[in-house]
Amino acid sequence: MLTKAPKGTKDVLPQEVYQWHYIEDTIRRVTRAFGYREIRTPVFEHTELFERGVGGTTDIVQKEMYTFQDKGGRSITLKPEGTAGVARAYIEHKLYANPQPVKMYYLTPCYRYERPQAGRLREFHQFGIEVFGAPEASVDVEVIALAMSLFRELGIQGLALKINSIGCPRCRPVYHEVLKSYLSHHLKDLCRTCKDRHEKNPLRILDCKTENCQPVIKGAPHMLDHLCEECSEHFEDTKRFLSAAGFEYEIDPMIVRGLDYYTKTVFEIVSDSIGAQGTVCGGGRYDGLVEECGGPGVPGVGFGLGLERLLLVLESQNIEMPERVVCDVYFATIGEKARVKAFELVQLLREKGISADMDHVGRSLKAQFKYADKLGARFVGTIGDDELAGRQLRLKEMATGYEETVDFDRIIDCLEAKY
Ligand code: ATP
Ligand code: MG
């Protein structure tokens, strides 16, 4: 127990963290180009927020939340997703009083008590987008375009964009009845979970992955055939902007998304290269959410993108991510006096923003070179008694083997010129 991380969690080790940095740097670059700013909200919120904001009939609220009572007797939940907290912050800080839309992104850990498997963890990380205050379909497509830009920047190929509309509180109840009536004739062919869903949330049955339910789901009526005029126009607009942006997409009437608060557009971006958990990015519009959470009636649209799944896609497509050199220059020393000199130079170089290092474990000169090589050091400077006497050192470029002698006084200028 003591030396094993909890089930469904994962350490990111120093030798692999560059992959996360690369993805995060790319996210910051892309979001900036689209005019989004970061928002950071707490890792835990009042449980009620998720019950309201995610929805009481969802798997997340019913089965997956990490909920506990704090010492003050409050019910607290570790965030299972990013949207509810952002909606809460938008209301609490009256961001609706600012010019709209408010365009935000977040990078956050999420917690869900699920059965861990490939692409499914109990602590995972999401990059998410939230736009509040914009009703137009152009912004639905803007957030999709942002996700697509990120994938393009990372060099990912072969992702499918699937879209659907799940209507609004005006047309969805009508469709619910049509769907319920269809399903009531097939209840015996549905799994137990779906039998439960039939009354409370029939739409979610379309999302069921159980093999046995598939024939029933295939024959089900589609929301798209029951959209009200406003939702239908919005869907047409969405398709028009998607075409204007040059995106290929597939209309998939079975996409309903897991959360209760969606209206109109829903979409998923799916990879076929990482197995069953292929949905890398899921999102859509949620015009009722802010009001549901106690704010004004402000529309919202966004997505959540799983970073562990994104990493799986990058790996499966053998996409190399650049690893930043962590050591520009390493000082190999012989003797204690040389170590003190090296320490002084390391300090000066670091102050100039040049990454410098030296031995701290008493390695032989040969072992220090080997270690510098392992670190990926670009240069190794050697200091022994002769160098101390001559106030200079030998500087070797590791890739070429080229060596030069540099005065101690000139070492900073010399290295600064190389970086
Ligand atoms: P799934 O159908 O895979 O359960 P979901 O509908 O529950 O996904 P969302 O709530 O929309 O997922 O979350 C957005 C994204 O977060 C997903 O598309 C996925 O990339 C990622 N994600 C969701 N749950 C997990 C998890 N348990 N582990 C890792 N990533 C996850
Ligand atoms: Mg899920």
Side-chain angles (χ1 to χ4, degrees):
M1 282 289 260
L2 201 58
T3 53
K4 219 164 161 19
K7 198 171 163 182
T9 67
K10 247 178 115 173
D11 298 308
V12 178
L13 299 175
Q15 61 265 29
E16 54 193 6
V17 76
Y18 71 93
Q19 301 176 335
W20 288 82
H21 290 165
Y22 179 64
I23 290 175
E24 287 160 7
D25 289 349
T26 312
I27 286 172
R28 295 194 197 281
R29 200 171 62 241
V30 171
T31 47
R32 192 183 163 275
F34 278 75
Y36 287 66
R37 288 186 297 181
E38 187 178 4
I39 180 162
R40 302 185 186 191
T41 65
V43 164
F44 60 85
E45 297 273 358
H46 294 118
T47 303
E48 196 192 345
L49 175 69
F50 300 115
E51 287 169 352
R52 279 292 194 90
V54 178
T57 66
T58 58
D59 284 354
I60 292 182
V61 170
Q62 288 191 343
K63 302 190 276 203
E64 298 171 358
M65 293 205 303
Y66 277 90
T67 298
F68 61 95
Q69 223 178 47
D70 74 4
K71 290 186 170 35
R74 302 169 195 88
S75 182
I76 294 292
T77 295
L78 301 185
K79 61 165 104 157
E81 53 88 60
T83 300
V86 177
R88 197 259 316 130
Y90 176 84
I91 300 166
E92 180 170 346
H93 304 287
K94 301 192 172 53
L95 300 186
Y96 48 79
N98 296 348
Q100 304 294 298
V102 179
K103 308 206 295 185
M104 299 170 276
Y105 77 94
Y106 58 80
L107 286 161
T108 184
C110 295
Y111 302 87
R112 295 186 194 177
Y113 194 76
E114 300 199 74
R115 193 167 68 79
Q117 51 198 292
R120 200 178 285 294
L121 294 146
R122 290 182 173 172
E123 180 187 66
F124 63 100
H125 297 80
Q126 274 191 2
F127 158 50
I129 284 291
E130 310 294 346
V131 185
F132 289 119
E136 300 290 344
S138 50
V139 80
D140 302 45
V141 178
E142 177 176 291
V143 305
I144 292 174
L146 195 158
M148 298 303 252
S149 274
L150 175 66
F151 295 130
R152 198 191 55 229
E153 288 283 307
L154 291 171
I156 292 173
Q157 289 173 339
L159 294 177
L161 166 63
K162 301 180 177 187
I163 63 162
N164 188 22
S165 173
I166 57 166
C168 68
R170 215 171 331 145
C171 50
R172 198 156 57 214
V174 182
Y175 169 67
H176 264 180
E177 290 314 311
V178 176
L179 181 62
K180 258 160 75 177
S181 137
Y182 164 81
L183 292 169
S184 64
H185 300 295
H186 301 276
L187 277 184
K188 62 174 189 340
D189 301 320
L190 292 174
C191 71
R192 255 200 33 217
T193 321
C194 284
K195 281 193 181 108
D196 283 348
R197 284 174 180 149
H198 176 245
E199 273 308 314
K200 287 181 277 181
N201 195 353
L203 207 60
R204 288 295 319 283
I205 295 178
L206 301 182
D207 197 30
C208 182
K209 302 286 183 284
T210 311
E211 199 58 49
N212 283 349
C213 296
Q214 296 314 308
V216 182
I217 292 171
K218 273 214 174 77
H222 295 165
M223 180 72 231
L224 285 180
D225 298 325
H226 296 81
L227 293 178
C228 63
E229 203 178 315
E230 186 192 317
C231 288
S232 182
E233 263 173 32
H234 198 272
F235 193 58
E236 290 308 311
D237 284 348
T238 303
K239 290 191 284 187
R240 198 169 308 129
F241 283 108
L242 280 171
S243 299
F247 295 132
E248 279 178 33
Y249 61 90
E250 182 189 319
I251 295 172
D252 183 344
M254 297 312 162
I255 292 185
V256 296
R257 308 292 310 133
L259 316 181
D260 275 358
Y261 51 61
Y262 283 90
T263 53
K264 297 193 171 105
T265 314
V266 286
F267 68 90
E268 289 187 355
I269 302 175
V270 186
S271 163
D272 57 9
S273 54
I274 56 169
Q277 271 64 247
T279 305
V280 182
C281 176
R285 175 168 281 283
Y286 18 86
D287 289 347
L289 175 69
V290 173
E291 199 168 3
E292 181 68 29
C293 294
V298 168
V301 55
F303 64 70
L305 191 155
L307 296 182
E308 282 82 1
R309 286 192 200 173
L310 183 63
L311 268 171
L312 286 178
V313 176
L314 286 160
E315 266 165 38
S316 76
Q317 300 193 1
N318 294 319
I319 294 172
E320 297 247 350
M321 288 170 268
E323 184 172 2
R324 245 186 258 138
V325 177
V326 292
C327 183
D328 298 324
V329 55
Y330 186 88
F331 289 97
T333 55
I334 312 157
E336 200 48 31
K337 278 201 181 114
R339 264 172 48 78
V340 174
K341 186 67 202 176
F343 195 85
E344 180 193 324
L345 293 174
V346 162
Q347 191 60 22
L348 287 172
L349 285 163
R350 286 175 177 171
E351 280 168 12
K352 295 283 179 191
I354 293 172
S355 155
D357 220 333
M358 62 182 284
D359 179 62
H360 296 289
V361 296
R363 287 187 176 86
S364 70
L365 187 66
K366 197 172 151 206
Q368 289 181 57
F369 264 86
K370 237 171 126 178
Y371 179 69
D373 206 36
K374 230 184 219 159
L375 278 185
R378 229 182 112 192
F379 295 95
V380 176
T382 308
I383 309 177
D385 288 342
D386 290 351
E387 286 78 13
L388 283 172
R391 299 195 50 74
Q392 49 185 211
L393 56 77
R394 274 183 299 121
L395 190 68
K396 181 175 177 182
E397 183 166 28
M398 298 298 274
T400 58
Y402 174 77
E403 272 194 79
E404 60 187 312
T405 304
V406 186
D407 288 349
F408 285 160
D409 301 340
R410 273 198 52 246
I411 182 76
I412 291 181
D413 290 345
C414 169
L415 283 166
E416 266 190 330
K418 295 180 195 291
Y419 287 100

